[in-house]
């Protein structure tokens, strides 16, 4: 928040922990003190709304006029009664009020600019505008310098993810939570088959048994092992046939 200021008046203004509550001059001071204590813990805006409206005892007609500005991140606005709010937007100022409503006017601005909440007739004219950081004051106007120094919208939820109309109003059904910013995700690159050259590794070499060569010639006849090695011819004396012997062959030759 760049700066907060107010113009003195007759309404109660309770500003603390990114929330401002404006209550009518008939508000019991004890309620203003209870809201000051409640805002110390930075409650959700619906808790503040309940604390303001519960004083009516459940009767809608008995709900007092009030204004609630929750500016922790986006701007949440609740108005009932004769309060006028102007919010700066890139397309031009947006004006709201809490008149002619059964309960209250509720709006949400995803990207708010400076805004001013004014209660007509709640103070004298010409009074100076005074700075206000936090506190309980009597006022007729409250200005919030929302802008570059405003707490950023919840990280992790971009403005593009919100449904924002031309006036800069976001869908109230969507909630922005204050969560720590996630680490920037690295782009995931899907590798395709052709993204890198494929190197074919040689297949493991294994000994391959040689296949016999088949020719058209007939295979040689099988050789009987017993006939493969014929017995060598007998070089000794041949067997003599007695029937063929003659005296000359039987008489040894005696040298003379």
């Amino acid at each position: 928040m760049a700066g907060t200021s107010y113009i003195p008046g007759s309404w109660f203004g309770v500003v603390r922990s990114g929330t401002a509550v404006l209550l009518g001059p008939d508000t019991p001071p004890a309620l203003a003190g209870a809201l000051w204590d409640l805002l110390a813990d930075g409650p959700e805006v619906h808790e503040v709304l309940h604390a303001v409206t519960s004083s009516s005892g459940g009767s809608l007609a008995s709900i007092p006029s009030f204004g609630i500005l929750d500016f922790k991140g986006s701007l949440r606005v609740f108005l009932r009664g004769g309060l006028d709010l102007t919010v700066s937007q890139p397309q031009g100022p947006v004006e709201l009020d809490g008149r002619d409503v059964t309960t209250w006017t509720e709006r949400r601005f995803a990207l708010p600019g400076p805004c001013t909440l004014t209660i007509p007739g709640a103070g004298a004219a010409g009074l100076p505008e005074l700075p206000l950081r936090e506190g309980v004051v009597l006022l007729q106007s409250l200005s919030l310098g929302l802008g570059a120094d405003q707490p950023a919208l919840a990280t992790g939820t971009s403005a593009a993810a919100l449904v924002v109309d031309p006036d800069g109003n976001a869908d109230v059904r969507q909630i922005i939570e204050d969560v720590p910013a996630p680490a920037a995700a690295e782009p995931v690159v899907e590798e395709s088959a052709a993204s890198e050259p494929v190197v074919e590794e040689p297949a493991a070499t294994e000994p391959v048994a040689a296949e016999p060569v088949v020719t058209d010639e007939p295979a040689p006849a099988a050789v009987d092992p017993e006939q493969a090695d014929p017995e060598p011819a007998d070089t000794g004396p041949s067997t003599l046939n007695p029937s063929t012997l003659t005296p000359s062959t039987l008489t040894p030759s005696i040298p003379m």
Side-chain angles (χ1 to χ4, degrees):
M1 183 173 62
T4 306
S5 60
Y6 76 101
I7 296 176
S10 59
W11 276 53
F12 284 98
V14 183
V15 182
R16 194 175 194 183
S17 303
T19 302
V21 182
L22 282 72
L23 303 171
D26 296 333
T27 300
L31 177 57
L35 288 170
W36 173 257
D37 294 336
L38 175 63
L39 297 181
D41 298 327
E44 296 293 334
V45 67
H46 63 80
E47 298 180 59
V48 181
L49 180 63
H50 175 72
V52 172
T53 59
S54 60
S55 61
S56 64
S59 172
L60 295 178
S62 301
I63 297 177
S65 298
F66 66 87
I68 299 176
L69 303 178
D70 182 88
F71 48 95
K72 298 187 292 290
S74 60
L75 176 63
R76 297 286 297 273
V77 177
F78 300 86
L79 302 176
R80 176 179 173 85
L83 298 89
D84 298 318
L85 176 69
T86 301
V87 182
S88 297
Q89 292 288 276
Q91 300 83 2
V94 177
E95 297 183 354
L96 301 173
D97 64 67
R99 300 177 182 85
D100 302 323
V101 293
T102 303
T103 54
W104 50 78
T105 298
E106 177 179 353
R107 295 290 291 273
R108 179 178 183 176
F109 297 87
L111 302 173
C115 64
T116 299
L117 181 59
T118 303
I119 307 98
L127 295 179
E129 186 172 3
L130 304 175
L132 173 64
R133 185 174 182 83
E134 290 186 338
V136 180
V137 296
L138 293 175
L139 51 73
Q140 60 175 304
S141 175
L142 177 69
S143 297
L144 304 177
L146 306 179
D149 297 332
Q150 176 197 8
L153 292 176
T155 54
T157 303
S158 64
L162 299 174
V163 180
V164 183
D165 64 18
D167 292 333
N169 304 313
D171 187 346
V172 297
R173 292 172 297 177
Q174 298 189 13
I175 300 176
I176 300 177
E177 298 179 352
D178 295 327
V179 295
E186 297 182 358
V188 178
V189 179
E190 296 183 358
E191 297 182 358
S192 61
S195 61
E196 296 183 0
V198 179
V199 179
E200 296 183 357
E201 298 182 358
T205 305
E206 297 182 359
V208 180
E211 297 181 358
V213 179
V214 180
T215 63
D216 295 336
E217 297 180 1
V223 179
D224 189 348
E226 295 181 357
Q227 297 179 358
D229 296 329
E231 295 182 359
D234 187 3
T235 58
S238 59
T239 304
L240 298 179
N241 188 351
S243 62
T244 61
L245 295 179
T246 62
S248 61
T249 58
L250 296 176
T251 303
S253 176
I254 301 175
M256 296 298 295

